[in-house]
Amino acid sequence: MKTTTQVAVIGGGVVGCSVLYHLTKLGWSDVMLLERSELTSGSTWHAAGGFHTLNGDTNMAALQGYTIRLYKELEEITGMSCGLHHVGGITLADDRDRFDMLLAERAKHRFMGLETEIVGPEEIRKIAPITNTDGIIGALYDPLDGHLDPSGTTHAYAKAARMGGATIETHCMVHETNQRPDGTWDVVTNKGTIHAEHVVNAGGLWAREVGAMAGVYFPLHPMEHQYLVTDSIPQIEALIDAGGEHPHVMDPAGESYLRQEGRGLCIGFYEQTCRPWAVDGTSWDFGHELLPDDFDKITESIEFAYRRFPVLAEAGVKSVIHGPFTFAPDGNPLVGPVPGLRNYWSACGVMAGFSQGGGVGLTLAQWMIEGEPERDVFAMDVARFGDWISPGYTRPKVIENYQKRFSVSYPNEELPAARPARTTPMYDIFTDLGAVWGQQYGLEVPNYFAQGDEPGYETPSFRRSNAFDATGREVRAVRSGVGINEVHNFGKYRIAGPAARDWLDRIMAGRIPKPGRVSLTPMLSPKGKLIGDFTVSCLDETEFRLTASYGSQAFHMRWFLQNAQNGVTVENISDRQNGFQIAGPKATQVLAACTRDDLSGFRFLDLRRMTVGMTDCIVQRVSYTGDLGYEIYCDPMAQRQLWWTLWQAGQERGIVPFGMRAMMSLRLDKFFGSWMREFSPDYTAAETGLDRFISFSKNADFIGRAAAEAERASGPARRLVAFEVDAEDADVNAYEPVWLGGKVAGFCTSGGYSHYAGKSFAMGFLPTDRAADGLEVEIEILGQLCKARVISEPLFDADGARMRG
Ligand SMILES: Cc1cc2nc3c(=O)[nH]c(=O)nc-3n(C[C@H](O)[C@H](O)[C@H](O)COP(=O)(O)OP(=O)(O)OC[C@H]3O[C@@H](n4cnc5c(N)ncnc54)[C@H](O)[C@@H]3O)c2cc1C
């Protein structure tokens, strides 16, 4: 056995083999896979082998599309069969909301180049003749859907990897992974120790145990899952004899997926009565075995399936496959560099290895070899969960995710499991004020405050929800008086030390402010992609604060630590600094009533240390509402005291608490982009207009400078613009296609309703040469083409007089 390697991939399931193949495909041949038994010895061997592109996250859907197209390439390279059956698939909708979801998905597919189609009951009966379409409104047809042979496909990945120079060591059990001081790894196995520059955890069912060898908790959990294979069915035999093959049918109402298997059918269920498996850890003794059949937990699902597919009622069951596979709390994989560890990579939590395995392998190989993936992969980044996550949180979230696998995912939905997990000192005060809570990165965040008859629960919907009026009331209160909310859902970092300014100048593309000032800056990857959108506050020459997205803490800290420098300390103080934002024309009056400081010279983007009431605070004159406003930061221990001070002073000025729904409407008025909507690693600073914050004149070789300069010279091919939309009862959410002259010319990044201007509004990308003020376009919202036009003047305070005044 080799004893040194550039990469040791632990785990020979479909995911590990895909990672190994992609490493060789992208140019690394000194790579090795270690499998404790034979290849496919985890969940891979008993998978149903189905694949499909449908995924609520657009970039995940694109990676699923990549995976599916890859199989032909694998067959060609290796001469092996993956057992491909590209039979197509339909996803049924039996109510308005499900159908809305399919319409929204179809719309996204237009600019992704996926040839899906909305079909009605008659076409459904033609495509999938065994379906009882009673009560069905329509379906989404995807010609790419199909199934394959899980074992053959995994071995094809393995052969392709070997052809690229990789080594595969089976019956090689990894017992320990020990890091050397230089960041490389000793991988201790039953066959000896391997010295590896990088380690990849592709341990599947044992990923938790493999992670623990390096001291890492991976937030995933195995669930039991069951599918049945029937005896021959006459209708299927007739179809085969006529030269056909039955397509896949996903029936979300019945929580089932169905396809042809031999001369019968195979049907699997995501039942509500599901069960987590191996709660205290996966035994090393578990191998090529199945769990005992359990019809009790799927009785209701089977009865439903008999009504939807009556032929099943007559068919005998030939075999039952009941096995475990892993989920992360949100059902997406855990991929990428593990925060806090050098040269340790994750490729686990992949619950749909045959839809996603290729994309996971490609992404990880790009990240390892080229330094960053080609697209935004935050939806599957292992850093999307913070170090607060625990098995006690993961388990109920995974159960919820399994149960909701086939449920409608609404853009405004707040999932209830494991809530509340993390709260600030304001939780009970805000609850008493009517807070209707949402959740970000485990943190409870008020979406709005229900007053009087306003609903205490926001109905999930693709259209304007029942929180519309409450949101409008809060927006108007801010714009006409003063509003208050917490600044708890900002990621906050303290940068200190003699080299702090130099470091910031290298990490951030923008100008770093002087003491007492605040500036805005993009953070770029080496390829010039946006990896952060920061506010920088200078307390003094050796101490700075950064604020950014709360949900990106682990993502940003990973980047900061990867770029660490002597003479600088970087601390994540997101939950150690809290406070409030007050915004609106009366905000200065409220603050003035709480402090002895003279606010007359307190300019826009100034920062001061100030005593507010009896609390020492850092106050910044800036607000994401785009209004006259202040962010007031304090020690969380003093937060309730600060609250009562501001709240009492606000009473005679009509102060109103406002939530995230209002905040999102307010920021749209000013065309302020939002992280992971307008600003993400999919886009560059020039495309989004954030290049206006890049300091090309500063004497620093900031990360991404060369790429940003090149783009500055050539100009971006697409540009972020704002649209006024003639919408009816549904506003833009994200990724709706923008039509121009009968063709899809762009897509939306986000949108909503401007309660201030009384208009539906969106932001999105258009080709630069078309992105002119007044351009008439159409935006497809839930299957309907809505007229829209490009606007260049913000809906509120266009000249910034109020914000700066
Ligand atoms: C009943 C059922 C039906 C399914 N149907 C589908 C489907 O239709 N479509 C689909 O896409 N997905 C399906 N899945 C899910 C699919 O099986 C998984 O997504 C996929 O197998 C995950 O692959 P993996 O490589 O991540 O993990 P695994 O297959 O679990 O592989 C992990 C490997 O790592 C090895 N390993 C672990 N620890 C060590 C160690 N210390 N040293 C050496 N080796 C180690 C294990 O032996 C194992 O071979 C189904 C799952 C089940 C249970």
Side-chain angles (χ1 to χ4, degrees):
M1 185 177 76
K2 271 171 59 151
T3 53
T4 60
T5 184
Q6 197 172 0
V7 184
V9 178
I10 303 173
V14 62
V15 175
C17 291
S18 168
V19 170
L20 195 71
Y21 164 62
H22 282 92
L23 287 169
T24 62
K25 184 177 177 181
L26 269 58
W28 282 8
S29 55
D30 179 15
V31 294
M32 197 171 180
L33 185 145
L34 312 172
E35 165 55 49
R36 67 187 185 114
S37 176
E38 297 290 346
L39 296 182
T40 78
S41 292
S43 24
T44 296
W45 74 273
H46 51 53
F51 53 76
H52 54 91
T53 46
L54 199 62
N55 189 300
D57 182 89
T58 307
N59 280 338
M60 286 300 303
L63 284 170
Q64 293 184 192
Y66 165 80
T67 303
I68 294 168
R69 291 190 186 99
L70 181 69
Y71 294 129
K72 281 227 156 53
E73 174 185 321
L74 272 186
E75 290 191 331
E76 278 162 21
I77 297 172
T78 60
M80 287 174 70
S81 168
C82 294
L84 284 178
H85 293 254
H86 271 294
V87 290
I90 51 172
T91 304
L92 305 173
D94 68 338
D95 66 21
R96 186 70 226 171
D97 280 4
R98 276 189 223 286
F99 197 56
D100 276 351
M101 185 170 93
L102 297 183
L103 291 172
E105 289 304 314
R106 168 64 195 124
K108 287 182 201 170
H109 295 165
R110 286 192 206 283
F111 69 85
M112 292 166 64
L114 295 173
E115 298 298 325
T116 54
E117 206 184 319
I118 295 290
V119 292
E122 208 178 310
E123 283 158 295
I124 295 171
R125 285 192 292 275
K126 277 189 208 142
I127 297 168
I130 61 166
T131 312
N132 171 4
T133 55
D134 287 354
I136 297 292
I137 301 175
L140 183 76
Y141 176 68
D142 186 348
L144 270 186
D145 280 10
H147 56 276
L148 45 62
D149 164 19
S151 176
T153 301
T154 307
H155 283 277
Y157 273 125
K159 181 170 177 192
R162 280 196 191 98
M163 289 166 73
T167 312
I168 294 179
E169 203 65 49
T170 54
H171 299 283
C172 184
M173 167 82 182
V174 174
H175 291 292
E176 291 175 30
T177 52
N178 303 319
Q179 191 157 37
R180 294 188 183 183
D182 67 356
T184 61
W185 292 87
D186 284 322
V187 181
V188 181
T189 78
N190 58 324
K191 292 185 172 179
T193 297
I194 300 152
H195 181 212
E197 194 179 331
H198 300 270
V199 165
V200 176
N201 178 353
L205 285 178
W206 295 267
R208 292 174 297 176
E209 286 70 24
V210 172
M213 294 174 193
V216 183
Y217 169 63
F218 282 88
L220 53 84
H221 204 286
M223 295 292 294
E224 296 179 357
H225 184 60
Q226 202 165 209
Y227 67 88
L228 321 175
V229 180
T230 72
D231 290 328
S232 296
I233 293 177
Q235 289 87 336
I236 299 297
E237 290 185 319
L239 196 68
I240 296 170
D241 294 343
E245 188 169 356
H246 201 277
H248 288 218
V249 186
M250 265 67 67
D251 182 16
E255 294 161 336
S256 72
Y257 57 88
L258 167 139
R259 67 168 170 83
Q260 183 181 321
E261 172 70 38
R263 300 178 81 75
L265 290 166
C266 147
I267 183 162
F269 303 101
Y270 281 87
E271 69 284 356
Q272 294 303 303
T273 45
C274 58
R275 261 200 306 266
W277 181 77
V279 171
D280 296 317
T282 306
S283 162
W284 292 111
D285 296 333
F286 189 78
H288 265 265
E289 60 208 83
L290 292 172
L291 309 176
D293 302 353
D294 186 348
F295 284 95
D296 285 351
K297 68 175 176 175
I298 54 172
T299 307
E300 279 183 29
S301 309
I302 292 176
E303 281 167 7
F304 195 100
Y306 284 172
R307 292 195 294 277
R308 184 73 80 217
F309 310 106
V311 293
L312 284 175
E314 310 298 319
V317 173
K318 188 160 85 182
S319 56
V320 180
I321 307 290
H322 191 197
F325 65 138
T326 58
F327 287 71
D330 58 4
N332 278 342
L334 299 168
V335 181
V338 173
L341 275 186
R342 266 175 78 191
N343 296 353
Y344 193 99
W345 304 81
S346 173
C348 42
V350 185
M351 60 75 53
F354 297 95
S355 296
Q356 301 174 333
V360 167
L362 175 72
T363 300
L364 199 72
Q366 286 174 340
W367 219 327
M368 294 176 78
I369 295 172
E370 296 164 11
E372 58 189 277
E374 72 182 82
R375 66 178 80 229
D376 165 34
V377 291
F378 191 72
M380 64 173 181
D381 191 334
V382 63
R384 71 188 181 279
F385 299 107
D387 54 13
W388 48 268
I389 205 160
S390 70
Y393 175 90
T394 301
R395 200 166 50 253
K397 283 311 258 187
V398 163
I399 293 170
E400 176 183 67
N401 194 275
Y402 185 100
Q403 291 170 328
K404 286 193 64 70
R405 174 98 176 98
F406 275 142
S407 302
V408 179
S409 293
Y410 299 91
N412 66 336
E413 189 171 16
E414 298 290 350
L415 299 175
R419 300 265 309 276
R422 294 169 68 75
T423 57
T424 75
M426 293 305 297
Y427 187 73
D428 57 343
I429 296 178
F430 278 174
T431 299
D432 288 347
L433 284 171
V436 179
W437 295 97
Q439 170 298 130
Q440 288 175 14
Y441 200 66
L443 178 71
E444 293 296 314
V445 178
N447 281 337
Y448 65 96
F449 292 83
Q451 311 289 296
D453 292 342
E454 289 167 357
Y457 170 73
E458 183 181 6
T459 315
S461 175
F462 288 91
R463 295 165 195 273
R464 286 177 196 150
S465 79
N466 60 346
F468 186 81
D469 291 343
T471 304
R473 177 185 51 71
E474 291 178 5
V475 165
R476 286 186 290 276
V478 172
R479 291 282 185 243
S480 62
V482 58
I484 184 164
N485 76 355
E486 250 183 309
V487 288
H488 60 330
N489 59 335
F490 287 156
K492 309 173 197 92
Y493 310 89
R494 177 175 179 268
I495 317 295
R501 180 177 287 277
D502 284 354
W503 183 79
L504 283 166
D505 261 332
R506 184 167 64 83
I507 297 291
M508 301 293 169
R511 192 178 46 78
I512 304 305
K514 295 199 167 17
R517 292 288 286 165
V518 172
S519 69
L520 308 175
T521 172
M523 182 165 77
L524 304 180
S525 75
K527 292 183 182 170
K529 300 289 181 70
L530 287 171
I531 53 171
D533 165 32
F534 282 85
T535 302
V536 189
S537 312
C538 181
L539 296 170
D540 62 49
E541 274 304 327
T542 57
E543 186 177 357
F544 296 80
R545 298 280 159 99
L546 301 176
T547 47
S549 150
Y550 189 80
S552 299
Q553 285 171 58
F555 175 85
H556 283 144
M557 278 305 288
R558 180 176 65 194
W559 184 246
F560 294 155
L561 296 180
Q562 280 169 353
N563 290 283
Q565 184 180 318
N566 282 338
V568 192
T569 55
V570 180
E571 284 173 87
N572 182 355
I573 56 165
S574 302
D575 299 323
R576 295 189 349 233
Q577 280 282 298
N578 210 342
F580 302 96
Q581 163 178 204
I582 53 173
K586 296 183 183 164
T588 305
Q589 291 174 30
V590 172
L591 183 59
C594 305
T595 181
R596 296 184 61 79
D597 263 56
D598 175 9
L599 300 181
S600 56
F602 199 18
R603 296 164 305 159
F604 179 60
L605 297 181
D606 269 357
L607 168 156
R608 282 190 198 170
R609 292 181 193 272
M610 199 184 281
T611 302
V612 182
M614 61 172 91
T615 310
D616 286 338
C617 299
I618 294 171
V619 183
Q620 305 187 156
R621 234 207 83 180
V622 64
S623 168
Y624 190 45
T625 60
D627 216 307
L628 169 66
Y630 301 86
E631 290 171 359
I632 308 166
Y633 294 93
C634 68
D635 177 344
M637 295 293 281
Q639 195 187 356
R640 289 166 74 100
Q641 174 58 44
L642 179 62
W643 162 260
W644 292 119
T645 302
L646 293 166
W647 184 242
Q648 272 160 21
Q651 289 312 301
E652 62 187 84
R653 285 135 191 126
I655 198 164
V656 162
F658 68 101
M660 285 310 291
R661 299 278 183 259
M663 177 69 107
M664 284 294 126
S665 176
L666 290 159
R667 64 105 191 168
L668 281 174
D669 291 346
K670 290 283 280 192
F671 300 180
F672 285 171
S674 157
W675 183 244
M676 296 317 287
R677 294 181 178 91
E678 284 67 41
F679 308 140
S680 86
D682 274 337
Y683 315 126
T684 65
E687 288 173 338
T688 54
L690 283 186
D691 55 341
R692 69 186 185 281
F693 296 115
I694 294 183
S695 175
F696 288 103
S697 62
K698 74 177 178 180
N699 186 20
D701 189 17
F702 58 84
I703 296 171
R705 179 166 197 139
E709 279 177 349
E711 194 175 30
R712 190 187 190 199
S714 62
R718 61 183 176 183
R719 210 158 64 75
L720 186 67
V721 295
F723 302 98
E724 189 181 307
V725 191
D726 298 341
E728 281 178 16
D729 63 342
D731 302 302
V732 160
N733 173 43
Y735 293 111
E736 290 81 355
V738 180
W739 291 79
L740 189 60
K743 286 197 181 128
V744 175
F747 61 94
C748 294
T749 47
S750 74
Y753 190 78
S754 165
H755 290 272
Y756 169 75
K759 288 175 179 170
S760 185
F761 180 80
M763 294 171 85
F765 285 99
L766 278 180
T768 304
D769 56 356
R770 308 303 307 271
D773 195 23
L775 179 77
E776 296 281 342
V777 298
E778 287 174 306
I779 297 180
E780 185 177 341
I781 303 177
L782 303 180
Q784 193 184 343
L785 289 181
C786 301
K787 287 198 185 316
R789 63 214 60 82
V790 174
I791 54 172
S792 55
E793 181 156 301
L795 306 174
F796 166 74
D797 193 28
D799 61 0
R802 175 113 135 229
M803 183 174 75
R804 293 164 192 280

